[in-house]
Amino acid sequence: MSKNMTMRYTYPHSIENGHGEQITFVQLVKDPAGDWLEVENLVQPGSGPPMHVHFKQAESLTVVSGRIGVQEFGKEPVEHGRGSTVTFQAGVGHKFWAAGSEPLRCKGWIKPAHNVEYFLTELYASTKASGKGRPDDFDGAYLGLRYKSEFDILEVPAFVRKVIFPVTVFFGKLAGKHEKFADAPEPVR
């Protein structure tokens, strides 16, 4: 069993990527079936995560205000309004965004928690620090490879994931860039 890094955080724990997305991990809920996270999202108009997949977790969001645009991999985009709930099952590629002119506020959950809080916390921090709307090259490659059994960003081309990421991590490790991830939890296999 992997270290569960969600236990290191004080709740509520908020992260933001500097490009219109904020997630608040409201609480870690202890459950015999697997600990899960209660979350809240604030997404600015036109913002939202890229097409991605959680191989181990389901995610559900209920619109509190605004409109949510949703697209599952290979399907047409749809929009939902206040009170609507969208649920993405584990293994289903998806993205969402604030559709319309007002911010999107959602409440929801991620089950089971596994390493999603650590992964997103590090990814958002790197994205904010880079100022480029994406994580630092080494950070993105390192996190993408380390947690590839749990998460994938489907908008990153396969060549980049399979060739560029390993080369970037190799040279980054030679430069000691990996040391900031010394306490990273083991991936869930």
Side-chain angles (χ1 to χ4, degrees):
M1 182 150 187
S2 68
K3 295 189 283 183
N4 186 343
M5 294 307 291
T6 56
M7 300 184 76
R8 75 172 9 185
Y9 301 109
T10 302
Y11 297 96
H13 168 226
S14 294
I15 60 174
E16 61 105 1
N17 68 3
H19 294 277
E21 295 176 69
Q22 179 181 328
I23 300 172
T24 299
F25 300 97
V26 178
Q27 66 176 331
L28 176 67
V29 179
K30 298 293 188 178
D31 189 319
D35 296 352
W36 56 275
L37 289 159
E38 179 184 342
V39 297
E40 294 178 357
N41 294 47
L42 173 60
V43 183
Q44 297 303 315
S47 295
M51 184 68 71
H52 65 283
V53 62
H54 315 241
F55 296 115
K56 310 285 184 190
Q57 296 105 347
E59 174 183 24
S60 185
L61 299 170
T62 299
V63 178
V64 174
S65 63
R67 293 191 59 75
I68 189 170
V70 174
Q71 184 176 18
E72 289 187 356
F73 188 76
K75 295 186 179 178
E76 291 297 314
V78 294
E79 289 186 17
H80 302 279
R82 185 175 179 192
S84 296
T85 298
V86 294
T87 301
F88 306 106
Q89 297 303 318
V92 175
H94 63 280
K95 66 179 180 176
F96 63 89
W97 59 95
S101 60
E102 68 178 280
L104 168 66
R105 292 184 185 278
C106 296
K107 291 186 177 201
W109 50 259
I110 301 171
K111 296 180 182 181
H114 291 316
N115 292 316
V116 71
E117 188 171 6
Y118 178 84
F119 179 78
L120 290 176
T121 297
E122 296 301 322
L123 208 61
Y124 273 43
S126 181
T127 299
K128 186 174 183 179
S130 81
K132 299 183 282 189
R134 61 181 175 80
D136 167 81
D137 292 341
F138 175 80
D139 295 351
Y142 181 88
L143 293 166
L145 288 177
R146 181 170 181 88
Y147 296 105
K148 68 182 178 183
S149 64
E150 295 184 64
F151 316 103
D152 196 4
I153 307 298
L154 300 175
E155 291 184 12
V156 175
F159 177 78
V160 172
R161 290 192 312 260
K162 293 178 180 177
V163 177
I164 304 298
F165 277 9
V167 170
T168 301
V169 169
F170 176 80
F171 286 108
K173 282 184 173 182
L174 289 177
K177 292 183 176 185
H178 66 295
E179 292 173 7
K180 69 179 174 181
F181 298 116
D183 66 347
E186 290 297 316
V188 176
R189 305 260 179 230

